[in-house]
Amino acid sequence: MAMADAADERAQEEQQHLRAAVHYTVGQLLEHNEEEEGVTFSKLFAASLADLTYRQIGSWTADLEAFARHAKRSTVSPDDIKLLARRDEDLFLSPFLWWFLLCSHSG
């Protein structure tokens, strides 16, 4: 039982670390945008956007893992990302997606 508790505690710590990293990154992006565009964002907005981003990435991760499992693979591939993009039109239009796909095929 103690090993399971330790594993749960590590998983929670990792989740908190990832959530903090997303919050920090969103804050940095908003600060950069404030400097570039002269627009200010409240701390509540930044926290809400960070939480939304974290949840959306979690949802995409679950979908990608399901696509890989369905294809009887243990590793997510660019094909899984293409499937995700077909399901989510906004992601399909994202420059990040195209950058990722180009990088994944150029190696």
Side-chain angles (χ1 to χ4, degrees):
M1 188 72 149
M3 290 179 67
D5 290 342
D8 286 345
E9 188 174 320
R10 272 189 306 240
Q12 285 179 349
E13 286 176 7
E14 184 176 314
Q15 226 176 18
Q16 287 175 343
H17 178 74
L18 290 171
R19 190 177 287 268
V22 169
H23 185 83
Y24 174 79
T25 302
V26 166
Q28 291 295 309
L29 290 168
L30 290 176
E31 280 182 25
H32 176 74
N33 198 22
E34 286 177 350
E35 292 170 6
E36 293 288 317
E37 304 296 328
V39 177
T40 58
F41 302 96
S42 71
K43 290 184 187 276
L44 180 59
F45 174 81
S48 297
L49 183 59
D51 186 58
L52 178 66
T53 301
Y54 183 83
R55 289 172 190 252
Q56 183 64 60
I57 291 170
S59 176
W60 287 338
T61 300
D63 289 346
L64 291 168
E65 290 171 347
F67 296 152
R69 271 194 313 274
H70 180 74
K72 297 181 178 34
R73 287 182 277 104
S74 60
T75 303
V76 172
S77 76
D79 290 335
D80 300 318
I81 295 170
K82 290 176 188 175
L83 284 172
L84 181 65
R86 286 185 196 142
R87 241 189 55 197
D88 185 341
E89 188 174 307
D90 291 334
L91 179 62
F92 182 75
L93 298 174
S94 166
F96 172 75
L97 172 69
W98 292 107
W99 171 82
F100 176 82
L101 291 173
L102 285 172
C103 290
S104 67
H105 287 297
S106 68

